[in-house]
Amino acid sequence: MIIKVNDMSYRSLYKEQNNKRTHIHSKSVTAGRTSLRLSWKVGRLLAALILIIIIVTGFTLVHSNALGTHAEPAQPNELAVTVSTGDTLWSLAQSHAPEGADIRQIVYLMKKRNLLTDSNLQPGDQIIIPVESF
C-alpha cells in the first residue's frame, strides 16, 4: 500500500490552521469592539433622550394659575376684596351674595372675571367680585 504525502508537512499545516484561528479571533475582537462602541453611542443617545424628556416634563408640570394677563381694574358695579388667610372663592361668594343666589354661579363668575384657572387663593390677592352680575 502506497501512501501519497502532500507537499505540506505536518508542521506547516499546523501553523496554517493556527493562523486562521488567530485571524478569526482578531476579527471577533474587532467586531466586539465595534459593538461595544455602538452600545456606548446608543447609551449616550438614550441618556440624552431621557434627560430631554425629564426637562420637558418638568416645564410642563410647573405652570401658573393665571392666564398670563391681568384682570381689568374693578368697575363701579364691582367690588374689590383683598384675600385674607382662610378665604376661598366659595366663602367670598357666600359673604357677598344676595339671599337665594346660586353660589356656584357666583364662584364661576368670580373665576371668569379674575382670569383664574383654579380656585386656589393666596392671602393678599386682590379679587374682584362682580356684584351686579348676580
Side-chain angles (χ1 to χ4, degrees):
M1 183 183 233
I2 300 174
I3 300 176
K4 188 172 181 182
V5 178
N6 280 340
D7 293 337
M8 294 186 211
S9 68
Y10 172 75
R11 186 174 274 170
S12 63
L13 181 64
Y14 178 74
K15 281 185 180 180
E16 185 177 316
Q17 285 177 351
N18 237 3
N19 285 340
K20 286 181 183 177
R21 286 183 190 151
T22 305
H23 185 66
I24 291 170
H25 180 67
S26 65
K27 281 184 182 178
S28 65
V29 168
T30 305
R33 286 181 185 164
T34 304
S35 66
L36 186 61
R37 285 183 192 148
L38 286 177
S39 66
W40 274 103
K41 287 181 182 179
V42 170
R44 285 185 198 163
L45 183 63
L46 188 61
L49 184 63
I50 289 171
L51 183 63
I52 289 170
I53 289 171
I54 289 171
I55 290 171
V56 169
T57 303
F59 281 122
T60 304
L61 293 177
V62 177
H63 65 279
S64 174
N65 291 333
L67 295 175
T69 57
H70 297 289
E72 294 179 20
Q75 302 298 318
N77 59 346
E78 297 175 326
L79 178 63
V81 177
T82 302
V83 176
S84 300
T85 304
D87 282 345
T88 63
L89 285 177
W90 191 269
S91 67
L92 291 174
Q94 276 184 327
S95 63
H96 294 90
E99 186 70 31
D102 185 10
I103 303 299
R104 296 171 297 178
Q105 181 67 24
I106 297 170
V107 169
Y108 170 76
L109 291 172
M110 288 171 59
K111 283 177 71 173
K112 185 176 174 183
R113 174 61 178 93
N114 292 285
L115 304 175
L116 299 173
T117 57
D118 61 21
S119 298
N120 294 329
L121 299 177
Q122 299 296 322
D125 286 348
Q126 191 78 14
I127 297 294
I128 299 171
I129 301 173
V131 178
E132 290 197 16
S133 298
F134 43 85

